[in-house]
Amino acid sequence: MQGQRIDGAMVHKIIIHFRKFGSIKKAVRELLVSKQVVRQVKQWATIQGFLTIPELPAETEITQLWDAERASKRAIPTVRAKLEPLRDVIITWLDANLELTRIQALLKQRHGWQGSYESLKRFTGPLRLPQDTCVRIETDPGDEAQVDFGYLGLLWDAVEKRRRKAWCFLMTLSCSRHCYAEVVFRQDIQTWIA
């Protein structure tokens, strides 16, 4: 049940179970919830006093209190909300090809923002243009092939009867993108020609 939203009914069950057995492990095993959830509910119930009072309130009352607590936590301003007023300024800096470290420094210097680099990176993720990672080369059939070697680790060489550094020789035809791959033990012209 990890990642599932815990409702008031489940909170009520966890509190009853914990009051009865006092064991996080037993609650996890019998109610099929994560340890983190049981700990979170136990901590909240302790603050509310539900673990020590003689009579537990009704499920509806616990549900209302739990939902109110969750709503108040969601109302805390997030980094996104704090950076939203500066969106146009940040976009201008991104358009000027400033690095995020420089933007972070400028935000601190000019706007008093004290957030982390990772927060800024998450906020600007959708704003940054994706970088081209691959450019397809259009050629006529038979005109060009691209060759590369990739390290595989130590493999058994049957010819020399020992473990050696092995490489994957990869040749890709530029027009059709068909590939040829072979395990080799040297990266030289003779291996390429063979």
Side-chain angles (χ1 to χ4, degrees):
M1 290 187 62
Q2 281 187 330
Q4 180 180 358
R5 184 181 179 275
I6 302 301
D7 60 359
M10 181 55 77
V11 170
H12 188 257
K13 284 181 190 175
I14 292 170
I15 294 171
I16 289 172
H17 199 281
F18 200 82
R19 282 171 59 110
K20 187 174 181 181
F21 299 108
S23 168
I24 291 177
K25 282 186 179 180
K26 196 162 186 146
V28 167
R29 200 170 35 249
E30 291 184 13
L31 298 175
L32 302 175
V33 292
S34 70
K35 271 189 209 174
Q36 292 83 4
V37 167
V38 176
R39 283 191 185 120
Q40 181 183 8
V41 171
K42 178 185 175 255
Q43 183 181 15
W44 177 78
T46 303
I47 292 168
Q48 299 295 322
F50 293 148
L51 299 180
T52 55
I53 59 174
E55 188 71 27
L56 191 62
E59 182 182 320
T60 54
E61 187 179 336
I62 288 177
T63 300
Q64 288 173 349
L65 289 169
W66 178 258
D67 290 343
E69 176 84 13
R70 302 279 74 70
S72 70
K73 290 201 173 179
R74 283 192 297 270
I76 295 171
T78 62
V79 170
R80 179 166 290 284
K82 291 178 182 176
L83 284 174
E84 199 59 46
L86 302 170
R87 174 184 283 271
D88 293 337
V89 174
I90 293 170
I91 290 173
T92 303
W93 289 335
L94 288 171
D95 289 344
N97 292 324
L98 292 180
E99 296 289 328
L100 287 183
T101 51
R102 179 66 180 137
I103 292 174
Q104 181 187 16
L106 289 171
L107 286 170
K108 285 180 181 182
Q109 195 177 51
R110 297 181 184 175
H111 300 281
W113 185 71
Q114 294 300 315
S116 68
Y117 175 82
E118 288 301 318
S119 299
L120 180 62
K121 186 176 175 182
R122 281 191 302 275
F123 178 79
T124 59
L127 304 176
R128 286 180 275 143
L129 297 174
Q131 301 293 321
D132 287 337
T133 56
C134 176
V135 177
R136 181 170 166 84
I137 299 172
E138 298 294 334
T139 63
D140 291 329
D143 276 358
E144 181 181 281
Q146 296 179 5
V147 176
D148 198 6
F149 290 92
Y151 181 63
L152 296 174
L154 295 174
L155 295 179
W156 182 258
D157 184 357
V159 175
E160 294 196 14
K161 305 279 191 252
R162 65 183 178 102
R163 287 169 49 101
R164 296 177 55 194
K165 284 185 176 181
W167 307 87
C168 177
F169 168 80
L170 182 68
M171 182 171 71
T172 306
L173 300 176
S174 296
C175 179
S176 64
R177 309 305 295 162
H178 285 287
C179 295
Y180 171 79
E182 184 179 326
V183 176
V184 295
F185 294 98
R186 291 191 321 250
Q187 296 185 67
D188 54 17
I189 298 296
Q190 290 80 18
T191 302
W192 186 88
I193 293 171

